[in-house]
Amino acid sequence: MKFTVSTSALQKQLSIISGVVSGNPIVPILENFLFELKEGKLTITASDLQTTMITSLPVDANQDIHIAIPAKILLDTLKSLPEQPVTFEIDSDTFVVEIHSENGRYKLAGENATDFPRVPATNASSKMSVSAQALLGAIGGTIFATSNDELRPAMTGVYFDLREDYTNFVATDGNRLIRYKRDDIKNSQKLGVIIPKKALNLMKSALPNDETVVETEFSKSNAFFTFGDTKMICRLIDERFPDYENAIPANNPNKMVISRGDLLASLRRISIYANKNTYLVRLKISNDNLQILAEDLDFSNEASENLVCSYQGEEIEIGFNAKFLIEMLSNIPTKDVNFELSAANRAGIILPSEKEENTDTLMLLMPLMLSNYA
């Protein structure tokens, strides 16, 4: 059995799904790509049992093929070859794969494809279509705030809170919370699902930044995303997501508007002098002036800067983790940002000064105790 394909075309499709392959998989067969060739169409599958990605491309073939091929050695071979047609010859009895290029022959041991896990059936209870650009915006606007704490699995993914009129994408790690609302993503019924971080990172890399339609389906245990020649299936996180709406403080009378760029640059300088355990920076706001201070008593380091702002409210002093604040500000696209505060011991709200079309972003950051300021 054999087929011929362009090195660049095959490498491009493999690179889309290669991130699924784990270096230390639960089952050894998952170190392979599953190659299935039928009627001149090559379908390639990668899986880690939690996430599966499938892609396809046309090839010149003489018969159907079903084999598992080691992912790393195949990718490394294709990357080192110049653009040219290569021919794969496969022994159906021994599962030996030979790759013939213009000047070389490369032999590797494949495996029986019947050992590769089956792709979950759809059985979708909910379906919707979204643009790749909108989905990319939702992923990029939230994924940085997910948790890495495996003891709190609900926080290790992004919550898709699907409604008939809009969808909220929510991420939290317990210290900060991002609610990214899109009016152009709607579902026929109310539904809440948690998509794992790994699957979303893979999708972020694979999705084109355009209006490509992404067909999205949800079953009881899996999510299915189809775009172009690529399909992703990921297992949902079967946990209860925190009640994010009640976590957002409603009454925040102290309001500050400030240049995002100026604040970001200042925080990056000041945080150099902050304690490396807490990264605590102190914000003192009064009379259209923001003073940012940091101190590390262990090394006698301290720094402060003053920035002009527009402020309405009582004089307030509040502490935040500088690393979290920097990351959140880095993910806001507007020139200015709005801070809404109520007290030194209550969460602060950060908002873009202007709303992008069809989007509404709210960021919440928990304060640090100023008594721990050191």
mmCIF file of all heavy atoms in Angstrom, residues 302-328:
data_model
loop_
_atom_site.group_PDB
_atom_site.id
_atom_site.type_symbol
_atom_site.label_atom_id
_atom_site.label_comp_id
_atom_site.label_asym_id
_atom_site.label_seq_id
_atom_site.Cartn_x
_atom_site.Cartn_y
_atom_site.Cartn_z
ATOM 1 N N GLU A 302 12.859 49.795 47.518
ATOM 2 C CA GLU A 302 11.568 50.469 47.435
ATOM 3 C C GLU A 302 11.533 51.398 46.237
ATOM 4 O O GLU A 302 12.579 51.844 45.734
ATOM 5 C CB GLU A 302 11.275 51.251 48.713
ATOM 6 C CG GLU A 302 12.267 52.353 49.022
ATOM 7 C CD GLU A 302 11.867 53.099 50.290
ATOM 8 O OE1 GLU A 302 12.248 52.650 51.400
ATOM 9 O OE2 GLU A 302 11.173 54.122 50.148
ATOM 10 N N ALA A 303 10.338 51.656 45.753
ATOM 11 C CA ALA A 303 10.165 52.541 44.599
ATOM 12 C C ALA A 303 8.764 53.122 44.623
ATOM 13 O O ALA A 303 7.832 52.524 45.183
ATOM 14 C CB ALA A 303 10.397 51.766 43.298
ATOM 15 N N SER A 304 8.620 54.293 44.035
ATOM 16 C CA SER A 304 7.296 54.909 43.917
ATOM 17 C C SER A 304 7.256 55.798 42.682
ATOM 18 O O SER A 304 8.283 56.329 42.243
ATOM 19 C CB SER A 304 6.949 55.722 45.165
ATOM 20 O OG SER A 304 7.793 56.856 45.263
ATOM 21 N N GLU A 305 6.078 55.930 42.101
ATOM 22 C CA GLU A 305 5.854 56.824 40.961
ATOM 23 C C GLU A 305 4.476 57.450 41.106
ATOM 24 O O GLU A 305 3.587 56.887 41.761
ATOM 25 C CB GLU A 305 5.933 56.058 39.628
ATOM 26 C CG GLU A 305 7.328 55.605 39.239
ATOM 27 C CD GLU A 305 7.400 55.056 37.822
ATOM 28 O OE1 GLU A 305 6.429 55.282 37.045
ATOM 29 O OE2 GLU A 305 8.409 54.416 37.472
ATOM 30 N N ASN A 306 4.323 58.612 40.478
ATOM 31 C CA ASN A 306 3.034 59.302 40.461
ATOM 32 C C ASN A 306 2.553 59.440 39.019
ATOM 33 O O ASN A 306 3.336 59.782 38.123
ATOM 34 C CB ASN A 306 3.142 60.684 41.100
ATOM 35 C CG ASN A 306 3.308 60.615 42.609
ATOM 36 O OD1 ASN A 306 2.338 60.471 43.338
ATOM 37 N ND2 ASN A 306 4.550 60.679 43.057
ATOM 38 N N LEU A 307 1.259 59.168 38.811
ATOM 39 C CA LEU A 307 0.652 59.293 37.489
ATOM 40 C C LEU A 307 -0.589 60.169 37.585
ATOM 41 O O LEU A 307 -1.308 60.149 38.595
ATOM 42 C CB LEU A 307 0.257 57.920 36.935
ATOM 43 C CG LEU A 307 1.376 56.905 36.664
ATOM 44 C CD1 LEU A 307 0.767 55.580 36.224
ATOM 45 C CD2 LEU A 307 2.337 57.415 35.611
ATOM 46 N N VAL A 308 -0.839 60.919 36.518
ATOM 47 C CA VAL A 308 -2.058 61.725 36.440
ATOM 48 C C VAL A 308 -3.216 60.827 36.034
ATOM 49 O O VAL A 308 -3.089 59.969 35.157
ATOM 50 C CB VAL A 308 -1.892 62.856 35.416
ATOM 51 C CG1 VAL A 308 -3.200 63.620 35.250
ATOM 52 C CG2 VAL A 308 -0.775 63.799 35.846
ATOM 53 N N CYS A 309 -4.350 61.004 36.686
ATOM 54 C CA CYS A 309 -5.547 60.229 36.350
ATOM 55 C C CYS A 309 -6.771 61.113 36.509
ATOM 56 O O CYS A 309 -6.668 62.257 36.969
ATOM 57 C CB CYS A 309 -5.666 58.994 37.254
ATOM 58 S SG CYS A 309 -5.917 59.394 39.008
ATOM 59 N N SER A 310 -7.903 60.618 36.117
ATOM 60 C CA SER A 310 -9.174 61.286 36.375
ATOM 61 C C SER A 310 -9.897 60.460 37.434
ATOM 62 O O SER A 310 -10.167 59.276 37.206
ATOM 63 C CB SER A 310 -10.004 61.368 35.090
ATOM 64 O OG SER A 310 -11.283 61.904 35.362
ATOM 65 N N TYR A 311 -10.180 61.089 38.581
ATOM 66 C CA TYR A 311 -10.707 60.306 39.705
ATOM 67 C C TYR A 311 -11.905 60.978 40.340
ATOM 68 O O TYR A 311 -11.910 62.181 40.578
ATOM 69 C CB TYR A 311 -9.612 60.107 40.749
ATOM 70 C CG TYR A 311 -10.035 59.243 41.916
ATOM 71 C CD1 TYR A 311 -10.362 57.910 41.726
ATOM 72 C CD2 TYR A 311 -10.105 59.762 43.210
ATOM 73 C CE1 TYR A 311 -10.751 57.106 42.794
ATOM 74 C CE2 TYR A 311 -10.485 58.967 44.282
ATOM 75 C CZ TYR A 311 -10.807 57.637 44.061
ATOM 76 O OH TYR A 311 -11.192 56.844 45.122
ATOM 77 N N GLN A 312 -12.915 60.162 40.611
ATOM 78 C CA GLN A 312 -14.091 60.608 41.341
ATOM 79 C C GLN A 312 -14.316 59.648 42.504
ATOM 80 O O GLN A 312 -14.488 58.455 42.296
ATOM 81 C CB GLN A 312 -15.331 60.619 40.435
ATOM 82 C CG GLN A 312 -15.274 61.642 39.313
ATOM 83 C CD GLN A 312 -16.529 61.599 38.443
ATOM 84 O OE1 GLN A 312 -17.286 60.638 38.492
ATOM 85 N NE2 GLN A 312 -16.729 62.638 37.654
ATOM 86 N N GLY A 313 -14.315 60.181 43.715
ATOM 87 C CA GLY A 313 -14.536 59.325 44.872
ATOM 88 C C GLY A 313 -13.684 59.746 46.050
ATOM 89 O O GLY A 313 -12.988 60.766 46.012
ATOM 90 N N GLU A 314 -13.744 58.965 47.097
ATOM 91 C CA GLU A 314 -12.977 59.251 48.298
ATOM 92 C C GLU A 314 -11.533 58.780 48.128
ATOM 93 O O GLU A 314 -11.224 57.902 47.333
ATOM 94 C CB GLU A 314 -13.607 58.533 49.496
ATOM 95 C CG GLU A 314 -15.037 58.962 49.795
ATOM 96 C CD GLU A 314 -15.628 58.183 50.964
ATOM 97 O OE1 GLU A 314 -14.986 57.199 51.397
ATOM 98 O OE2 GLU A 314 -16.721 58.551 51.422
ATOM 99 N N GLU A 315 -10.651 59.378 48.903
ATOM 100 C CA GLU A 315 -9.258 58.921 48.883
ATOM 101 C C GLU A 315 -9.205 57.456 49.300
ATOM 102 O O GLU A 315 -9.827 57.042 50.280
ATOM 103 C CB GLU A 315 -8.422 59.778 49.843
ATOM 104 C CG GLU A 315 -6.957 59.398 49.851
ATOM 105 C CD GLU A 315 -6.131 60.336 50.730
ATOM 106 O OE1 GLU A 315 -6.515 61.525 50.851
ATOM 107 O OE2 GLU A 315 -5.113 59.878 51.295
ATOM 108 N N ILE A 316 -8.462 56.675 48.547
ATOM 109 C CA ILE A 316 -8.421 55.234 48.802
ATOM 110 C C ILE A 316 -7.005 54.708 48.630
ATOM 111 O O ILE A 316 -6.217 55.238 47.827
ATOM 112 C CB ILE A 316 -9.397 54.479 47.856
ATOM 113 C CG1 ILE A 316 -9.557 53.019 48.295
ATOM 114 C CG2 ILE A 316 -8.945 54.556 46.413
ATOM 115 C CD1 ILE A 316 -10.671 52.275 47.565
ATOM 116 N N GLU A 317 -6.688 53.686 49.401
ATOM 117 C CA GLU A 317 -5.400 53.006 49.304
ATOM 118 C C GLU A 317 -5.674 51.511 49.248
ATOM 119 O O GLU A 317 -6.350 50.963 50.118
ATOM 120 C CB GLU A 317 -4.526 53.352 50.517
ATOM 121 C CG GLU A 317 -3.130 52.771 50.438
ATOM 122 C CD GLU A 317 -2.253 53.265 51.598
ATOM 123 O OE1 GLU A 317 -2.689 54.201 52.323
ATOM 124 O OE2 GLU A 317 -1.156 52.714 51.777
ATOM 125 N N ILE A 318 -5.162 50.857 48.219
ATOM 126 C CA ILE A 318 -5.466 49.452 48.005
ATOM 127 C C ILE A 318 -4.238 48.736 47.450
ATOM 128 O O ILE A 318 -3.417 49.331 46.740
ATOM 129 C CB ILE A 318 -6.681 49.296 47.045
ATOM 130 C CG1 ILE A 318 -7.184 47.856 47.000
ATOM 131 C CG2 ILE A 318 -6.372 49.827 45.654
ATOM 132 C CD1 ILE A 318 -8.539 47.700 46.319
ATOM 133 N N GLY A 319 -4.094 47.460 47.785
ATOM 134 C CA GLY A 319 -2.939 46.686 47.324
ATOM 135 C C GLY A 319 -3.346 45.596 46.344
ATOM 136 O O GLY A 319 -4.379 44.940 46.514
ATOM 137 N N PHE A 320 -2.530 45.401 45.297
ATOM 138 C CA PHE A 320 -2.787 44.361 44.310
ATOM 139 C C PHE A 320 -1.502 43.600 43.993
ATOM 140 O O PHE A 320 -0.387 44.122 44.193
ATOM 141 C CB PHE A 320 -3.322 44.953 42.997
ATOM 142 C CG PHE A 320 -4.729 45.480 43.078
ATOM 143 C CD1 PHE A 320 -4.992 46.820 42.792
ATOM 144 C CD2 PHE A 320 -5.783 44.650 43.411
ATOM 145 C CE1 PHE A 320 -6.275 47.312 42.852
ATOM 146 C CE2 PHE A 320 -7.083 45.139 43.480
ATOM 147 C CZ PHE A 320 -7.331 46.474 43.196
ATOM 148 N N ASN A 321 -1.654 42.398 43.484
ATOM 149 C CA ASN A 321 -0.532 41.633 42.955
ATOM 150 C C ASN A 321 -0.140 42.246 41.609
ATOM 151 O O ASN A 321 -0.932 42.264 40.671
ATOM 152 C CB ASN A 321 -0.941 40.163 42.785
ATOM 153 C CG ASN A 321 0.179 39.292 42.246
ATOM 154 O OD1 ASN A 321 0.748 39.557 41.193
ATOM 155 N ND2 ASN A 321 0.482 38.219 42.951
ATOM 156 N N ALA A 322 1.084 42.756 41.519
ATOM 157 C CA ALA A 322 1.520 43.469 40.313
ATOM 158 C C ALA A 322 1.528 42.572 39.079
ATOM 159 O O ALA A 322 1.177 43.013 37.978
ATOM 160 C CB ALA A 322 2.909 44.065 40.527
ATOM 161 N N LYS A 323 1.920 41.299 39.247
ATOM 162 C CA LYS A 323 1.973 40.389 38.100
ATOM 163 C C LYS A 323 0.584 40.182 37.507
ATOM 164 O O LYS A 323 0.409 40.194 36.287
ATOM 165 C CB LYS A 323 2.578 39.040 38.522
ATOM 166 C CG LYS A 323 4.060 39.101 38.854
ATOM 167 C CD LYS A 323 4.601 37.753 39.269
ATOM 168 C CE LYS A 323 4.683 36.797 38.101
ATOM 169 N NZ LYS A 323 5.325 35.511 38.482
ATOM 170 N N PHE A 324 -0.415 39.987 38.371
ATOM 171 C CA PHE A 324 -1.780 39.814 37.888
ATOM 172 C C PHE A 324 -2.272 41.087 37.196
ATOM 173 O O PHE A 324 -2.891 41.041 36.135
ATOM 174 C CB PHE A 324 -2.721 39.462 39.040
ATOM 175 C CG PHE A 324 -2.525 38.084 39.598
ATOM 176 C CD1 PHE A 324 -2.983 37.760 40.868
ATOM 177 C CD2 PHE A 324 -1.878 37.099 38.871
ATOM 178 C CE1 PHE A 324 -2.812 36.483 41.390
ATOM 179 C CE2 PHE A 324 -1.698 35.816 39.381
ATOM 180 C CZ PHE A 324 -2.168 35.517 40.640
ATOM 181 N N LEU A 325 -1.994 42.224 37.824
ATOM 182 C CA LEU A 325 -2.451 43.496 37.278
ATOM 183 C C LEU A 325 -1.817 43.763 35.913
ATOM 184 O O LEU A 325 -2.498 44.205 34.969
ATOM 185 C CB LEU A 325 -2.115 44.619 38.264
ATOM 186 C CG LEU A 325 -2.838 45.961 38.089
ATOM 187 C CD1 LEU A 325 -4.336 45.782 37.957
ATOM 188 C CD2 LEU A 325 -2.505 46.878 39.262
ATOM 189 N N ILE A 326 -0.541 43.481 35.777
ATOM 190 C CA ILE A 326 0.160 43.674 34.500
ATOM 191 C C ILE A 326 -0.435 42.779 33.422
ATOM 192 O O ILE A 326 -0.676 43.216 32.287
ATOM 193 C CB ILE A 326 1.669 43.405 34.685
ATOM 194 C CG1 ILE A 326 2.315 44.544 35.470
ATOM 195 C CG2 ILE A 326 2.366 43.232 33.333
ATOM 196 C CD1 ILE A 326 3.740 44.248 35.916
ATOM 197 N N GLU A 327 -0.682 41.521 33.767
ATOM 198 C CA GLU A 327 -1.226 40.587 32.777
ATOM 199 C C GLU A 327 -2.624 40.999 32.337
ATOM 200 O O GLU A 327 -2.965 40.903 31.150
ATOM 201 C CB GLU A 327 -1.248 39.175 33.351
ATOM 202 C CG GLU A 327 -1.524 38.103 32.314
ATOM 203 C CD GLU A 327 -1.267 36.703 32.828
ATOM 204 O OE1 GLU A 327 -1.389 36.480 34.057
ATOM 205 O OE2 GLU A 327 -0.945 35.823 32.020
ATOM 206 N N MET A 328 -3.421 41.466 33.264
ATOM 207 C CA MET A 328 -4.776 41.884 32.919
ATOM 208 C C MET A 328 -4.765 43.125 32.036
ATOM 209 O O MET A 328 -5.466 43.190 31.022
ATOM 210 C CB MET A 328 -5.572 42.126 34.202
ATOM 211 C CG MET A 328 -5.794 40.849 35.005
ATOM 212 S SD MET A 328 -6.384 41.105 36.692
ATOM 213 C CE MET A 328 -8.122 41.384 36.439
#
